[in-house]
Short mmCIF file of all heavy atoms in Angstrom, two decimals:
data_model
loop_
_atom_site.label_atom_id
_atom_site.label_comp_id
_atom_site.label_asym_id
_atom_site.label_seq_id
_atom_site.Cartn_x
_atom_site.Cartn_y
_atom_site.Cartn_z
N ALA A 22 8.51 42.61 56.18
CA ALA A 22 7.34 42.27 57.08
C ALA A 22 6.59 40.98 56.62
O ALA A 22 5.81 40.43 57.35
CB ALA A 22 6.32 43.40 56.96
N LEU A 23 6.94 40.46 55.44
CA LEU A 23 6.34 39.28 54.94
C LEU A 23 6.83 38.06 55.84
O LEU A 23 7.97 38.00 56.27
CB LEU A 23 6.72 38.98 53.46
CG LEU A 23 6.10 39.89 52.45
CD1 LEU A 23 6.70 39.69 51.19
CD2 LEU A 23 4.62 39.76 52.44
N PRO A 24 5.92 37.08 55.98
CA PRO A 24 6.42 35.88 56.82
C PRO A 24 7.48 35.15 56.00
O PRO A 24 7.49 35.05 54.84
CB PRO A 24 5.09 35.02 56.88
CG PRO A 24 4.24 35.55 55.86
CD PRO A 24 4.62 36.95 55.52
N VAL A 25 8.36 34.63 56.83
CA VAL A 25 9.57 33.85 56.23
C VAL A 25 9.21 32.38 56.22
O VAL A 25 8.76 31.88 57.22
CB VAL A 25 10.84 34.08 57.09
CG1 VAL A 25 11.98 33.21 56.53
CG2 VAL A 25 11.22 35.59 57.02
N MET A 26 9.30 31.72 55.09
CA MET A 26 9.01 30.31 54.96
C MET A 26 10.30 29.57 55.14
O MET A 26 11.31 29.85 54.49
CB MET A 26 8.51 30.06 53.52
CG MET A 26 7.87 28.70 53.34
SD MET A 26 6.25 28.71 54.14
CE MET A 26 5.19 28.89 52.76
N PRO A 27 10.34 28.65 56.13
CA PRO A 27 11.54 27.79 56.26
C PRO A 27 11.97 27.04 55.06
O PRO A 27 11.10 26.66 54.29
CB PRO A 27 11.25 26.88 57.46
CG PRO A 27 9.82 27.03 57.67
CD PRO A 27 9.33 28.15 56.97
N ALA A 28 13.22 26.82 54.89
CA ALA A 28 13.69 26.12 53.65
C ALA A 28 13.08 24.68 53.54
O ALA A 28 12.74 24.27 52.38
CB ALA A 28 15.26 26.01 53.74
N PHE A 29 12.81 24.00 54.59
CA PHE A 29 12.26 22.65 54.45
C PHE A 29 10.90 22.69 53.96
O PHE A 29 10.37 21.58 53.70
CB PHE A 29 12.42 21.87 55.74
CG PHE A 29 11.60 22.41 56.84
CD1 PHE A 29 10.26 22.08 56.95
CD2 PHE A 29 12.17 23.31 57.84
CE1 PHE A 29 9.42 22.50 58.00
CE2 PHE A 29 11.35 23.74 58.84
CZ PHE A 29 9.99 23.40 59.02
N ALA A 30 10.19 23.72 54.09
CA ALA A 30 8.74 23.81 53.70
C ALA A 30 8.58 23.46 52.23
O ALA A 30 7.50 22.92 51.86
CB ALA A 30 8.20 25.15 53.96
N GLN A 31 9.55 23.62 51.43
CA GLN A 31 9.42 23.30 49.94
C GLN A 31 9.27 21.75 49.87
O GLN A 31 8.68 21.24 48.89
CB GLN A 31 10.55 23.75 49.15
CG GLN A 31 10.67 25.29 49.09
CD GLN A 31 11.84 25.66 48.27
OE1 GLN A 31 12.62 24.86 47.76
NE2 GLN A 31 12.06 26.97 48.16
N SER A 32 9.80 20.97 50.76
CA SER A 32 9.68 19.54 50.61
C SER A 32 8.44 19.03 51.20
O SER A 32 8.17 17.75 51.13
CB SER A 32 10.92 18.83 51.18
OG SER A 32 10.86 19.07 52.64
N ARG A 33 7.61 19.80 51.83
CA ARG A 33 6.28 19.33 52.37
C ARG A 33 5.31 19.21 51.29
O ARG A 33 5.22 19.96 50.30
CB ARG A 33 5.76 20.35 53.37
CG ARG A 33 6.68 20.52 54.64
CD ARG A 33 6.26 19.56 55.66
NE ARG A 33 7.01 19.98 56.79
CZ ARG A 33 7.13 19.13 57.84
NH1 ARG A 33 6.63 17.93 57.80
NH2 ARG A 33 7.85 19.51 58.86
N PRO A 34 4.39 18.12 51.30
CA PRO A 34 3.37 18.08 50.39
C PRO A 34 2.40 19.27 50.44
O PRO A 34 2.28 19.89 51.49
CB PRO A 34 2.63 16.74 50.69
CG PRO A 34 3.30 16.20 51.96
CD PRO A 34 4.43 17.12 52.30
N LEU A 35 1.69 19.52 49.41
CA LEU A 35 0.78 20.75 49.40
C LEU A 35 -0.35 20.40 50.41
O LEU A 35 -0.77 21.29 51.09
CB LEU A 35 0.18 20.86 47.97
CG LEU A 35 1.22 21.32 47.00
CD1 LEU A 35 0.51 21.37 45.57
CD2 LEU A 35 1.80 22.62 47.33
N THR A 36 -0.85 19.19 50.56
CA THR A 36 -1.92 18.88 51.50
C THR A 36 -1.58 17.62 52.16
O THR A 36 -1.56 16.50 51.55
CB THR A 36 -3.24 18.73 50.72
OG1 THR A 36 -3.15 17.76 49.73
CG2 THR A 36 -3.78 20.02 50.20
N CYS A 37 -1.15 17.60 53.43
CA CYS A 37 -0.73 16.46 54.18
C CYS A 37 -2.05 15.58 54.50
O CYS A 37 -1.92 14.45 54.71
CB CYS A 37 -0.08 16.79 55.50
SG CYS A 37 1.46 17.57 55.26
N GLY A 38 -3.18 16.18 54.44
CA GLY A 38 -4.38 15.43 54.79
C GLY A 38 -4.76 14.35 53.80
O GLY A 38 -5.63 13.51 54.06
N GLU A 39 -4.17 14.36 52.67
CA GLU A 39 -4.45 13.37 51.65
C GLU A 39 -3.32 12.33 51.59
O GLU A 39 -2.15 12.60 51.48
CB GLU A 39 -4.45 13.98 50.25
CG GLU A 39 -5.66 14.95 50.13
CD GLU A 39 -5.74 15.59 48.80
OE1 GLU A 39 -5.31 14.97 47.77
OE2 GLU A 39 -6.24 16.72 48.65
N LEU A 40 -3.70 11.06 51.66
CA LEU A 40 -2.77 9.94 51.56
C LEU A 40 -2.11 9.86 50.17
O LEU A 40 -2.83 10.15 49.18
CB LEU A 40 -3.47 8.58 51.93
CG LEU A 40 -3.97 8.51 53.32
CD1 LEU A 40 -4.84 7.19 53.44
CD2 LEU A 40 -2.91 8.52 54.34
N THR A 41 -0.94 9.47 50.15
CA THR A 41 -0.26 9.25 48.82
C THR A 41 -1.00 8.12 48.08
O THR A 41 -1.48 7.11 48.70
CB THR A 41 1.15 8.84 49.02
OG1 THR A 41 1.92 9.87 49.71
CG2 THR A 41 1.91 8.57 47.69
N GLU A 42 -1.24 8.40 46.85
CA GLU A 42 -1.96 7.45 46.00
C GLU A 42 -1.29 6.11 45.85
O GLU A 42 -0.08 5.99 45.69
CB GLU A 42 -2.21 8.03 44.58
CG GLU A 42 -3.02 7.15 43.70
CD GLU A 42 -3.24 7.76 42.27
OE1 GLU A 42 -2.93 8.97 42.08
OE2 GLU A 42 -3.75 7.05 41.42
N ALA A 43 -2.11 5.04 46.06
CA ALA A 43 -1.59 3.63 45.96
C ALA A 43 -1.57 3.28 44.45
O ALA A 43 -2.37 3.78 43.64
CB ALA A 43 -2.44 2.67 46.73
N GLN A 44 -0.61 2.41 44.11
CA GLN A 44 -0.56 1.80 42.78
C GLN A 44 -0.09 0.41 42.89
O GLN A 44 0.34 -0.07 43.90
CB GLN A 44 0.49 2.57 41.91
CG GLN A 44 0.00 3.98 41.45
CD GLN A 44 0.62 4.41 40.18
OE1 GLN A 44 1.81 4.40 39.98
NE2 GLN A 44 -0.24 4.82 39.26
N THR A 45 -0.24 -0.28 41.80
CA THR A 45 0.15 -1.75 41.72
C THR A 45 1.59 -1.92 42.01
O THR A 45 2.41 -1.11 41.59
CB THR A 45 -0.22 -2.35 40.36
OG1 THR A 45 0.17 -3.76 40.38
CG2 THR A 45 0.52 -1.58 39.21
N GLU A 46 1.95 -3.04 42.59
CA GLU A 46 3.36 -3.31 42.90
C GLU A 46 4.00 -3.93 41.62
O GLU A 46 5.17 -4.01 41.45
CB GLU A 46 3.59 -4.29 44.03
CG GLU A 46 3.16 -5.69 43.83
CD GLU A 46 3.34 -6.54 45.08
OE1 GLU A 46 3.35 -6.01 46.12
OE2 GLU A 46 3.48 -7.75 44.84
N GLY A 47 3.20 -4.36 40.62
CA GLY A 47 3.70 -5.01 39.47
C GLY A 47 4.12 -6.44 39.69
O GLY A 47 4.06 -6.90 40.89
N PRO A 48 4.62 -7.15 38.72
CA PRO A 48 4.92 -8.61 38.90
C PRO A 48 6.27 -8.80 39.43
O PRO A 48 6.62 -10.03 39.59
CB PRO A 48 4.88 -9.07 37.46
CG PRO A 48 5.15 -7.93 36.59
CD PRO A 48 4.71 -6.73 37.31
N PHE A 49 7.14 -7.82 39.73
CA PHE A 49 8.58 -8.08 40.06
C PHE A 49 8.93 -7.74 41.53
O PHE A 49 10.08 -7.73 41.87
CB PHE A 49 9.40 -7.22 39.19
CG PHE A 49 9.11 -7.59 37.64
CD1 PHE A 49 8.56 -6.65 36.82
CD2 PHE A 49 9.46 -8.79 37.22
CE1 PHE A 49 8.29 -6.99 35.50
CE2 PHE A 49 9.23 -9.17 35.89
CZ PHE A 49 8.65 -8.22 35.02
N PHE A 50 7.96 -7.55 42.46
CA PHE A 50 8.34 -7.35 43.87
C PHE A 50 8.90 -8.62 44.46
O PHE A 50 8.49 -9.73 44.15
CB PHE A 50 7.03 -6.95 44.67
CG PHE A 50 7.29 -6.91 46.15
CD1 PHE A 50 8.05 -5.84 46.60
CD2 PHE A 50 6.83 -7.80 47.03
CE1 PHE A 50 8.34 -5.71 47.96
CE2 PHE A 50 7.08 -7.64 48.41
CZ PHE A 50 7.86 -6.67 48.89
N LYS A 51 9.91 -8.41 45.35
CA LYS A 51 10.54 -9.45 46.06
C LYS A 51 10.63 -9.15 47.51
O LYS A 51 10.85 -8.00 47.91
CB LYS A 51 12.02 -9.74 45.51
CG LYS A 51 12.11 -10.31 44.19
CD LYS A 51 13.60 -10.54 43.78
CE LYS A 51 14.24 -11.52 44.59
NZ LYS A 51 15.58 -11.87 44.12
N THR A 52 10.41 -10.16 48.34
CA THR A 52 10.53 -9.98 49.75
C THR A 52 11.99 -10.17 50.19
O THR A 52 12.82 -10.59 49.40
CB THR A 52 9.58 -10.96 50.47
OG1 THR A 52 10.06 -12.30 50.17
CG2 THR A 52 8.22 -10.76 50.19
N ARG A 53 12.29 -9.85 51.45
CA ARG A 53 13.57 -10.02 52.01
C ARG A 53 14.67 -9.22 51.34
O ARG A 53 15.79 -9.78 51.12
CB ARG A 53 13.92 -11.47 52.16
CG ARG A 53 12.91 -12.16 53.02
CD ARG A 53 13.39 -13.63 53.44
NE ARG A 53 12.36 -14.23 54.30
CZ ARG A 53 11.68 -15.27 53.94
NH1 ARG A 53 11.83 -15.84 52.75
NH2 ARG A 53 10.81 -15.77 54.88
N THR A 54 14.46 -8.05 50.86
CA THR A 54 15.47 -7.20 50.20
C THR A 54 16.51 -6.85 51.28
O THR A 54 16.22 -6.73 52.48
CB THR A 54 14.84 -6.01 49.62
OG1 THR A 54 14.18 -5.14 50.63
CG2 THR A 54 13.86 -6.26 48.52
N PRO A 55 17.71 -6.57 50.84
CA PRO A 55 18.72 -6.09 51.82
C PRO A 55 18.47 -4.76 52.33
O PRO A 55 17.94 -3.86 51.71
CB PRO A 55 20.04 -6.10 50.97
CG PRO A 55 19.61 -6.09 49.53
CD PRO A 55 18.22 -6.60 49.48
N LEU A 56 18.93 -4.46 53.58
CA LEU A 56 18.83 -3.11 54.20
C LEU A 56 19.92 -2.31 53.70
O LEU A 56 21.15 -2.65 53.98
CB LEU A 56 18.98 -3.30 55.80
CG LEU A 56 19.06 -2.08 56.58
CD1 LEU A 56 17.76 -1.23 56.42
CD2 LEU A 56 19.34 -2.29 58.00
N ARG A 57 19.58 -1.32 52.88
CA ARG A 57 20.66 -0.40 52.31
C ARG A 57 19.91 0.78 51.70
O ARG A 57 18.85 0.74 51.13
CB ARG A 57 21.40 -1.13 51.27
CG ARG A 57 20.71 -1.69 50.07
CD ARG A 57 21.56 -2.42 49.14
NE ARG A 57 20.85 -3.01 48.02
CZ ARG A 57 21.43 -3.39 46.97
NH1 ARG A 57 22.74 -3.48 46.80
NH2 ARG A 57 20.64 -3.86 45.95
N ALA A 58 20.60 1.91 51.84
CA ALA A 58 20.09 3.17 51.31
C ALA A 58 20.67 3.49 49.97
O ALA A 58 20.27 4.45 49.31
CB ALA A 58 20.34 4.31 52.28
N SER A 59 21.62 2.65 49.51
CA SER A 59 22.21 2.89 48.21
C SER A 59 22.04 1.63 47.27
O SER A 59 22.43 0.51 47.61
CB SER A 59 23.77 3.13 48.28
OG SER A 59 24.29 3.24 47.00
#
């Protein structure tokens, strides 16, 4: 009788209402990086 939680729910943040915290980019950011997922 308990509600079933979908598998993807584990990857959801605990509170979506809060923006992810910003941090410094540091001294090594470069523009025009290649499009690639690997």
Side-chain angles (χ1 to χ4, degrees):
L23 292 173
V25 176
M26 194 73 101
F29 67 84
Q31 292 180 3
S32 68
R33 297 270 187 196
L35 295 175
T36 54
C37 292
E39 295 180 28
L40 296 172
T41 299
E42 183 178 348
Q44 288 207 309
T45 180
E46 72 181 24
F49 303 112
F50 174 70
K51 287 178 69 171
T52 60
R53 299 190 178 116
T54 60
L56 175 63
R57 61 184 180 167
S59 176

